[in-house]
Amino acid sequence: MDINADAGESFGRWQLGNDSALFAHITSVNLACGFHAGDPLTIQQSIALAKEQGVAVGAHPGFYDKVGFGRRIIQASAAEVYADVLYQIGALQAFLRVHDMRLHHVKAHGALHWYALANADICTAIAKATQNAGDDVPFVALAGTKMVDVAAETGVKVIREAFPERAYMADGSLAPRTLAGSSIHDPQEAAKRAVKMVTGEPLETLDGGTVTLQAETLCIHGDNPEAVTIAATMSDALNAAGITVKAF
Amino acid sequence: MDINADAGESFGRWQLGNDSALFAHITSVNLACGFHAGDPLTIQQSIALAKEQGVAVGAHPGFYDKVGFGRRIIQASAAEVYADVLYQIGALQAFLRVHDMRLHHVKAHGALHWYALANADICTAIAKATQNAGDDVPFVALAGTKMVDVAAETGVKVIREAFPERAYMADGSLAPRTLAGSSIHDPQEAAKRAVKMVTGEPLETLDGGTVTLQAETLCIHGDNPEAVTIAATMSDALNAAGITVKAF
Amino acid sequence: MDINADAGESFGRWQLGNDSALFAHITSVNLACGFHAGDPLTIQQSIALAKEQGVAVGAHPGFYDKVGFGRRIIQASAAEVYADVLYQIGALQAFLRVHDMRLHHVKAHGALHWYALANADICTAIAKATQNAGDDVPFVALAGTKMVDVAAETGVKVIREAFPERAYMADGSLAPRTLAGSSIHDPQEAAKRAVKMVTGEPLETLDGGTVTLQAETLCIHGDNPEAVTIAATMSDALNAAGITVKAF
Amino acid sequence: MDINADAGESFGRWQLGNDSALFAHITSVNLACGFHAGDPLTIQQSIALAKEQGVAVGAHPGFYDKVGFGRRIIQASAAEVYADVLYQIGALQAFLRVHDMRLHHVKAHGALHWYALANADICTAIAKATQNAGDDVPFVALAGTKMVDVAAETGVKVIREAFPERAYMADGSLAPRTLAGSSIHDPQEAAKRAVKMVTGEPLETLDGGTVTLQAETLCIHGDNPEAVTIAATMSDALNAAGITVKAF
C-alpha cells in the first residue's frame, strides 16, 4: 500500500508546506509541475529531496493558474488539456532522469482533477498524456468513480486512490467540503478508515449509507499542519493490519 | 551542412511566421518551448509539421518573458538558468517521443543567448542542461566565440553556428544591429557568405578586417519576409559548391 | 448610436488586428487591459491612436488567460472577478488620464462576458467594479438579457448592446456559433439588422421566431477581415435612417 | 518622519509577512502591485487593512517577474518601464479610490530600484510615470544618490529615503549584502542610526569613512522576523529625539 501526498508547492520566494518532514512518512509524492505551483528550481530541489528520503515521485499537473493555485476549473478543450499535461510531465521527467529516477505516476491536481471527474473526454486526455509519457507510467484515478473505467479504456495502467481524511457519499464521491463532517481531523479515525479503504470493508458515508472502496494508494493532505502525525498513525495502523506500506 | 531557423513562435491566438513554407527549405528548426514564445498546443502542432516535412527539431529555450519575446536579458543566476533550460528541454522531449523523434540540438534563444555569450557560467549552465537531457544532444554555440570552448569543457557535444544574413566584426562577434550594414538583405550575397562560412574562407567584416569561421550549421531568420527566398538561394549555392545540405 | 469594436489586442511581439483602419469607422473601442490580451505599451499606444482618431475608449477586462485569449471560463469567485476587473479598469484609467481622456464604458470580454450572462453574482461583481471606477462610467450589457436588470440593481448606469453580425434566438440570446447561419457575413444584411436593433423593429431569429431589441450600442468584430467594410456600410445605413452615429 | 515598509507581498495561496502586526509600527507602506508580488484580491485586502490601521499607502511597482520576486534586473527599455509602472500605479489607485484614500508615494521595488540607480533614463521613466499618476504624488529616491537629482529634473516631488538596518559605503551607496556587517541586526543600533539619518549627523561607513544623509523617510524590512521590534525601537528613539513619526 502506497501513501501519497502533494509536494513541491512552493513558488519562487513563497514557501509552502514542510516537504522534508512529510517525506519521512509517505511513500510517493505528487509533485507540482510549474503550472499551478512549483517552478523549475523547486522541482529540482524537491526531486533531490525525494531521492534522498527514498520517496517515489509522481507528476501532479494542474491548470496554468498560479494565482488560483489550480483550484478553479478553466474550461479548456480536451486537446488543450492533453498538451498541457504532456508538457508538464515531460518537464518533470527531465529532472528525474538527471537523478536516475523514473516517473512513478501521474495524478491531476485540484480543479483539473474535478474537471476530469465531470468530463470523460478530459479524463481521457489526461490518461492519454500519461500513456504517451512512456515507461508504462500509471494514472491515478479516484476509486469508485467512472474515472477508473474511462482512463482504463485508453489502455493506460490505472491506480485507484482513496482519501482517509475525507468523508464520502454513498455514490462514491467525496463529500463536499461545505458539509459538516466532510473532513476527518482525528488521526486515529483517519487511520481506521485507511485500513477499511484498502481491505475493502464498507465505510459509513455522510449521507447515511455505506461505500466500499478498493484503493491501491491513499492520499493525505500535505498542507494540513497535522499531516505528519496523520501519516505516521496511518502507516502504523496499516502495518498492524499486515499491510506493507511502500510505493506501488 | 545544416540550415536552421527559429519556429513555433506563435502563442495561443497570436500567429507568427509561416512555418510550413519555411520548413520546405531548412533542415533543422529551433522550436520555442513555451517560455518566450510557443505553448503546449503550438509545440505539438509544430513537431507534427516538422515530422511531416522531414525537418529535425531542436529546442530553443529562452527567458520566461513572453511580453518581451525573450529579447531582454533577465539577470538570473546560473542555477536558475540551468533549471529553466532543463525544464523547457524536457517539455519538448515529451512531444518528440510521441512522434518517435529525437531532440536534434539545443540552442539558446535571443537574450538568453546574449547572456551566455557574455557570461561563462551561464553558458556552462545551458551546456550542462543540454548534456543532462541525454541522448548525446549537441549544444549550438556561436562559431568563433568563447562559447564554443566554454560549452565544450562541460563535455557536451558542440556544434558551431554562423549567420549568413548578419555582418561580423573582426573579433568574431556579430555586428550590432544598430550599425549600418549589419544585416545582409540580398539573398545572393547571403548565399555567397554562407559558402565561405562553411568552407572556412575569410569573410570581410564591418570594421574593415576579416574573420574566418568554420560553421557546422547556418542560421536564417524565419521572421524575415524574405526567409523562404534566402533559404532556397543559400541551399542552391551550397549544393553548387558541393556541400550537401542536411541536418547534422 | 454608438458602434463599438474590440481593439488593443496585440501582445508584445505579436500583432493582431488593424486598429488604425478600424478606428476610422467606429465611435468607441473596447480596449484589452493586459489580462487576456494587450500589455502596458500596447495600451499606451492604442489610447494615443484612439485620441488621434477621435474614438472613445472603454475598458474590456477579461480573464487572466493569455494563452486562451480570455475565451475559456475560469470558475473564479465573484470576489476574485470584482478585484480582477477593478484592477484592469484602474490600470487603463491611468493611461487615459495622461491623455486627458475619460473612461467611456466597461464591457466584459469573451468568457468573462459569458460567465456574467450565466451567473448573476458575477454580473453584479463586474457592475460594481464599474461603478467603483467612478465618473459615472456605464456598464455595457447584452440587450434583451437579464444582465441588463442584474447590473442595473447595483445602481450602475447600463448601456444595452446588440450584435448586427450575429443571429439571435427567440429568447434574446445570441445564436450559438456552432449553428449554421449564426454569423451574418453580408455587410448589407448586417446593416439592415443594425437599423432594426436600434429602432426596435422585430428581428427574425434562427429558431423561427422574432426578437425585439432596443440597443444603445452596436458591436462589430474587429478581427473580422471584413470589419472595415461592415462598419462603413452599417454607419451609412444608420445615417440614412436618420440615426446619428456617435459615442454615447 | 515617516517609517515605511514593504507589504502586500502575498500571492494567491502563498502568504508572506505579517502585515497586520507590522502596520501597528509604521506610518506608510509600499504595496506590491501584482507584477513581482501581490494580486488584485491581496491589494484590496491590504488597502482595507492599511485604512483600518491608519497607514498611508504607496505603490511599489516592480518587474513583471513573480518567480524571481522582482529581484532580477530585466533589461527593459525606458519606454517599457514607464508603461509598466504607470499600469501598476493605476491599478492600485482604483482600489484606493474605493476606500477614499489617495496614493501616498511611489517607490520602485527590488531590481527595478537597482536598475534606476544605475540608469538615469530608467529613473526618469519611473519618475515621469509617478508624476503622470497625478495628485502631486511624490517619488521616493535613495538619499545621497543621483536618483534624487535625476528624478527632480522631471518636476516630480522627490522624497529622500534611508535604510537604518543597512550599512552604507562612503559614496552614499548601500553596502553590498555580500559584505560582512552589511545588515544591522541590533534594534538599538538601528534606532541610533535612524536618528542620525534624519538629523544629518555623519554615519560611519563599512569602508571606513563617513556619510551624511538627510532622509525624509526611513525604510525597514517587513520580511525580517524582527521587523516589529525594530520598528517599535526606532519609533521610540525618534520620539525621544523630538522627531514626530508620521507619514510625510
Side-chain angles (χ1 to χ4, degrees):
Chain A
M1 179 52 39
D2 175 56
I3 301 181
N4 76 71
D6 300 351
E9 295 187 331
S10 293
F11 174 53
R13 171 93 173 72
W14 294 281
Q15 296 298 303
L16 192 64
N18 183 350
D19 286 359
S20 181
L22 183 67
F23 286 9
H25 296 282
I26 60 177
T27 51
S28 79
V29 73
N30 317 304
L31 212 70
C33 302
F35 270 39
H36 71 280
D39 58 73
L41 264 185
T42 298
I43 290 171
Q44 184 182 16
Q45 292 160 358
S46 301
I47 288 176
L49 192 69
K51 180 157 196 183
E52 200 182 301
Q53 299 191 235
V55 177
V57 174
H60 205 204
F63 280 120
Y64 190 80
D65 177 23
K66 287 213 186 63
V67 75
F69 203 66
R71 289 182 173 167
R72 312 183 298 188
I73 287 177
I74 297 179
Q75 294 179 353
S77 68
E80 289 170 327
V81 166
Y82 167 82
D84 280 3
V85 169
L86 188 57
Y87 183 97
Q88 294 179 71
I89 294 174
L92 201 69
Q93 285 176 308
F95 290 92
L96 287 169
R97 280 194 298 272
V98 175
H99 287 86
D100 286 318
M101 294 171 79
R102 282 203 158 193
L103 184 63
H104 182 257
H105 64 269
V106 173
K107 172 179 162 184
H109 166 82
L112 185 58
H113 191 239
W114 311 331
Y115 198 36
L117 270 167
N119 297 276
D121 57 340
I122 298 300
C123 181
T124 299
I126 305 172
K128 278 191 182 161
T130 303
Q131 192 178 26
N132 284 343
D135 292 344
D136 214 18
V137 175
F139 171 88
V140 175
L142 190 60
T145 69
K146 62 179 180 186
M147 265 185 94
V148 174
D149 298 326
V150 170
E153 272 168 37
T154 66
V156 78
K157 184 177 173 187
V158 178
I159 294 292
R160 288 162 296 170
E161 175 180 49
F163 290 77
E165 298 167 87
R166 295 288 300 278
Y168 278 74
M169 306 304 270
D171 67 358
S173 64
L174 294 172
R177 283 180 185 276
T178 46
L179 291 185
S182 65
S183 289
I184 315 294
H185 298 290
D186 175 15
Q188 293 295 343
E189 174 65 14
K192 269 187 223 166
R193 295 170 64 82
V195 174
K196 289 183 184 172
M197 286 168 170
V198 174
T199 56
E201 286 175 76
L203 286 156
E204 286 179 22
T205 64
L206 214 58
D207 49 357
T210 60
V211 71
T212 304
L213 305 172
Q214 198 89 36
E216 292 146 303
T217 184
L218 299 171
C219 182
I220 63 168
H221 297 296
D223 56 354
N224 182 339
E226 304 269 328
V228 173
T229 309
I230 286 171
T233 310
M234 197 177 296
S235 206
D236 290 348
L238 288 164
N239 281 327
I243 299 155
T244 308
V245 177
K246 63 172 183 183
F248 49 77
Chain B
M1 179 54 37
D2 175 55
I3 301 180
N4 75 72
D6 300 350
E9 295 187 330
S10 294
F11 173 54
R13 171 93 172 73
W14 294 282
Q15 296 299 304
L16 192 65
N18 183 348
D19 286 359
S20 182
L22 183 67
F23 285 9
H25 296 282
I26 60 177
T27 51
S28 78
V29 74
N30 316 302
L31 211 69
C33 301
F35 271 39
H36 71 279
D39 58 74
L41 264 186
T42 298
I43 290 171
Q44 183 182 16
Q45 291 161 358
S46 300
I47 288 175
L49 192 69
K51 180 158 194 181
E52 200 181 300
Q53 299 191 237
V55 178
V57 174
H60 205 205
F63 281 118
Y64 190 81
D65 177 24
K66 286 212 187 64
V67 74
F69 203 64
R71 289 181 173 168
R72 311 182 300 187
I73 287 178
I74 298 179
Q75 295 180 353
S77 69
E80 289 170 326
V81 166
Y82 168 81
D84 280 3
V85 170
L86 187 57
Y87 184 97
Q88 294 179 70
I89 294 174
L92 201 69
Q93 285 176 308
F95 290 93
L96 287 169
R97 279 194 300 271
V98 175
H99 287 86
D100 286 319
M101 294 171 81
R102 283 203 157 194
L103 183 64
H104 181 258
H105 65 268
V106 173
K107 172 178 161 184
H109 165 81
L112 185 57
H113 191 240
W114 311 331
Y115 198 35
L117 270 167
N119 297 276
D121 57 339
I122 297 301
C123 180
T124 299
I126 305 172
K128 278 191 181 160
T130 303
Q131 193 179 25
N132 284 343
D135 291 343
D136 214 17
V137 175
F139 172 88
V140 175
L142 189 59
T145 69
K146 62 180 181 185
M147 267 186 91
V148 174
D149 298 326
V150 169
E153 271 168 38
T154 66
V156 79
K157 184 176 173 186
V158 179
I159 294 291
R160 287 161 296 170
E161 176 179 50
F163 290 77
E165 297 168 88
R166 295 287 300 278
Y168 278 72
M169 306 303 271
D171 67 358
S173 64
L174 294 172
R177 282 180 186 275
T178 48
L179 292 185
S182 65
S183 290
I184 316 294
H185 298 291
D186 175 13
Q188 293 295 345
E189 174 64 15
K192 269 187 221 165
R193 294 171 64 82
V195 174
K196 289 183 183 173
M197 285 168 170
V198 174
T199 56
E201 286 176 76
L203 287 157
E204 286 180 21
T205 63
L206 213 59
D207 49 358
T210 61
V211 70
T212 304
L213 305 172
Q214 198 88 35
E216 292 146 302
T217 184
L218 298 171
C219 183
I220 63 168
H221 297 295
D223 56 356
N224 182 337
E226 304 269 328
V228 173
T229 308
I230 287 170
T233 311
M234 197 177 298
S235 207
D236 290 349
L238 289 164
N239 282 327
I243 300 155
T244 308
V245 177
K246 63 172 182 182
F248 51 77
Chain C
M1 179 51 39
D2 175 55
I3 301 180
N4 75 71
D6 300 350
E9 295 187 330
S10 294
F11 174 54
R13 171 93 172 74
W14 293 281
Q15 296 299 303
L16 192 65
N18 182 351
D19 286 0
S20 182
L22 183 67
F23 286 9
H25 297 282
I26 60 178
T27 51
S28 77
V29 75
N30 316 303
L31 211 69
C33 301
F35 271 39
H36 71 279
D39 58 74
L41 264 186
T42 298
I43 290 171
Q44 184 182 16
Q45 291 160 358
S46 301
I47 288 176
L49 192 69
K51 180 157 194 181
E52 201 182 301
Q53 299 190 237
V55 178
V57 174
H60 204 205
F63 281 119
Y64 190 81
D65 176 25
K66 287 212 187 66
V67 75
F69 202 66
R71 288 181 173 167
R72 311 182 299 187
I73 288 178
I74 298 179
Q75 294 180 352
S77 68
E80 289 170 327
V81 166
Y82 167 82
D84 280 2
V85 170
L86 187 57
Y87 184 98
Q88 294 179 71
I89 293 174
L92 201 69
Q93 284 176 307
F95 289 93
L96 287 169
R97 278 194 300 271
V98 175
H99 287 87
D100 286 319
M101 293 172 81
R102 284 201 157 195
L103 184 63
H104 181 257
H105 65 269
V106 173
K107 172 178 160 185
H109 166 81
L112 185 58
H113 190 239
W114 311 330
Y115 198 37
L117 271 167
N119 297 275
D121 57 340
I122 297 300
C123 180
T124 299
I126 305 172
K128 277 191 181 160
T130 302
Q131 193 179 26
N132 284 343
D135 292 343
D136 214 17
V137 174
F139 172 87
V140 175
L142 190 59
T145 69
K146 63 180 179 183
M147 265 186 93
V148 174
D149 298 326
V150 170
E153 273 167 38
T154 67
V156 79
K157 185 176 173 186
V158 178
I159 295 291
R160 288 161 295 172
E161 175 180 49
F163 290 76
E165 298 168 88
R166 296 287 301 276
Y168 278 72
M169 305 303 271
D171 67 358
S173 63
L174 294 173
R177 283 181 185 276
T178 46
L179 291 185
S182 66
S183 289
I184 315 294
H185 298 290
D186 175 15
Q188 293 295 344
E189 174 65 15
K192 269 186 220 164
R193 294 170 64 80
V195 174
K196 289 182 184 172
M197 286 169 170
V198 174
T199 55
E201 286 176 76
L203 287 157
E204 286 179 21
T205 62
L206 214 57
D207 49 357
T210 60
V211 70
T212 304
L213 305 173
Q214 198 89 36
E216 292 146 305
T217 184
L218 298 171
C219 183
I220 62 167
H221 297 295
D223 56 356
N224 182 337
E226 304 269 327
V228 173
T229 308
I230 287 170
T233 311
M234 197 177 298
S235 207
D236 289 348
L238 289 164
N239 281 327
I243 300 155
T244 308
V245 176
K246 63 171 181 182
F248 49 78
Chain D
M1 178 52 39
D2 175 54
I3 300 180
N4 75 72
D6 300 351
E9 295 186 330
S10 293
F11 174 55
R13 171 92 171 75
W14 293 281
Q15 296 298 304
L16 192 64
N18 182 349
D19 286 0
S20 183
L22 183 68
F23 286 9
H25 296 282
I26 60 177
T27 51
S28 78
V29 74
N30 317 303
L31 212 70
C33 302
F35 270 39
H36 71 279
D39 57 74
L41 264 186
T42 298
I43 290 171
Q44 184 182 16
Q45 292 161 358
S46 301
I47 288 175
L49 192 69
K51 180 156 195 183
E52 200 182 301
Q53 299 191 236
V55 177
V57 174
H60 205 204
F63 281 118
Y64 191 80
D65 177 24
K66 286 212 188 65
V67 74
F69 202 66
R71 289 180 172 167
R72 310 183 299 187
I73 287 177
I74 298 179
Q75 295 181 353
S77 69
E80 289 169 327
V81 166
Y82 167 82
D84 280 3
V85 169
L86 187 57
Y87 183 98
Q88 293 178 71
I89 294 174
L92 201 68
Q93 285 176 308
F95 290 93
L96 287 168
R97 279 193 299 272
V98 176
H99 287 86
D100 286 320
M101 294 171 80
R102 282 203 159 192
L103 183 63
H104 181 258
H105 65 269
V106 173
K107 173 179 160 183
H109 166 81
L112 185 58
H113 190 241
W114 311 330
Y115 198 36
L117 270 168
N119 298 276
D121 57 339
I122 298 301
C123 180
T124 299
I126 305 172
K128 277 190 183 161
T130 302
Q131 193 178 26
N132 285 343
D135 291 343
D136 214 17
V137 175
F139 171 86
V140 175
L142 190 60
T145 69
K146 62 180 181 184
M147 267 185 92
V148 174
D149 298 326
V150 169
E153 272 167 37
T154 66
V156 79
K157 185 177 172 185
V158 178
I159 294 292
R160 288 162 296 171
E161 176 180 49
F163 290 77
E165 298 168 86
R166 294 288 300 278
Y168 278 73
M169 306 304 269
D171 67 357
S173 64
L174 293 173
R177 283 181 185 275
T178 47
L179 291 184
S182 66
S183 289
I184 316 292
H185 297 291
D186 176 15
Q188 293 295 344
E189 174 65 15
K192 270 187 221 165
R193 295 171 63 82
V195 174
K196 288 183 184 172
M197 286 169 169
V198 173
T199 57
E201 285 177 76
L203 286 157
E204 286 179 21
T205 63
L206 213 59
D207 49 357
T210 60
V211 69
T212 304
L213 305 172
Q214 199 89 36
E216 292 146 304
T217 185
L218 298 171
C219 182
I220 63 167
H221 297 295
D223 56 354
N224 182 338
E226 304 268 327
V228 173
T229 309
I230 287 171
T233 311
M234 197 177 297
S235 207
D236 289 348
L238 289 164
N239 281 327
I243 300 155
T244 308
V245 177
K246 63 171 184 184
F248 50 77

